[in-house]
Amino acid sequence: MHSGTKYLAGHSDALLGVLTTSPQTQRGQELAPILRSVLVDTGGVASAMDSWLTLRGLRTLHVRVERQSQTAMAVAQFLDQHESVSAVHYPGLSSHPNHSVAKKQMMNGMFGGVLSLEMNDQVEATALAAALQTIQRATSLGGTETLIEHRASIEPPGRVTSPQGLLRMSCGLEEQADIIRDLDRAIAIAKQVTSG
């Protein structure tokens, strides 16, 4: 299952999902005719415009993913060394519990464009997000712009599973130095706001 809306289309302008099965596996062979029947019976076909937008995005997917992965690694390394950040979750960091698995599964040292960071609490995390100028606050990923969101704020009441200080970040195509500078400045502001 792939969200064509996110990385495949890559420009935050399409609404499309992709569901595939493998003809090489027993389960894939079992599921394919069932899914095809549902598709035929319900008419689940993407619009021509969304299909075209996704095809356009696929043409630059490799370049975007490479750039987003490089930026995410640089950002993760910066945040991992920052004294005000409680934790950084990114499979490209050797300190990540699944780093060895990620190295085997992900090509050419590209560990993806999404990472998360933890501040001490919700107040600090939301202050950081509010102080950002280059990075935009939004719930999405895989686009050309760098986005950040406070996960606990968007989870349904009574079903919050994310730590209160957790921020999820999806790196876009901006210059790495601009993203790091924006984060560094926003962290300083968040610390100033919460300490006073």
Side-chain angles (χ1 to χ4, degrees), residues 6-164:
K6 309 295 188 220
Y7 279 98
L8 299 181
H11 293 80
S12 304
D13 56 5
L15 182 60
L16 185 114
V18 180
L19 186 59
T20 63
T21 60
S22 172
Q24 306 300 318
T25 65
Q26 179 67 31
R27 188 70 176 139
Q29 292 169 7
E30 294 167 0
L31 283 174
I34 296 168
L35 294 172
R36 176 118 176 99
S37 175
V38 170
L39 177 70
V40 169
D41 293 346
T42 62
V45 177
S47 74
M49 185 65 173
D50 285 332
S51 298
W52 179 82
L53 290 169
T54 303
L55 178 60
R56 175 204 60 187
L58 283 170
R59 292 181 180 127
T60 60
L61 177 64
H62 67 289
V63 176
R64 288 183 288 107
V65 169
E66 183 176 336
R67 174 69 176 260
Q68 290 161 329
S69 295
Q70 291 168 348
T71 299
M73 178 63 90
V75 167
Q77 290 170 336
F78 163 75
L79 293 170
D80 197 40
Q81 298 300 312
H82 202 292
E83 64 183 5
S84 298
V85 176
S86 303
V88 178
H89 307 284
Y90 185 66
L93 294 176
S94 58
S95 59
H96 190 277
N98 296 318
H99 179 68
S100 60
V101 173
K103 279 177 60 176
K104 291 177 189 173
Q105 292 180 343
M106 298 176 167
M107 297 175 18
N108 304 323
M110 292 192 297
F111 296 97
V114 178
L115 63 114
S116 60
L117 63 134
E118 289 185 53
M119 300 303 286
N120 287 325
D121 55 31
Q122 181 173 351
V123 174
E124 223 174 72
T126 53
L128 185 163
L132 293 165
Q133 293 181 340
T134 302
I135 300 168
Q136 301 173 38
R137 290 176 71 175
T139 302
S140 191
L141 52 95
T144 58
E145 60 284 322
T146 298
L147 305 176
I148 198 164
E149 70 174 345
H150 181 250
R151 293 296 303 159
S153 297
I154 65 161
E155 292 173 351
R159 294 193 352 224
V160 175
T161 59
S162 297
Q164 290 299 313

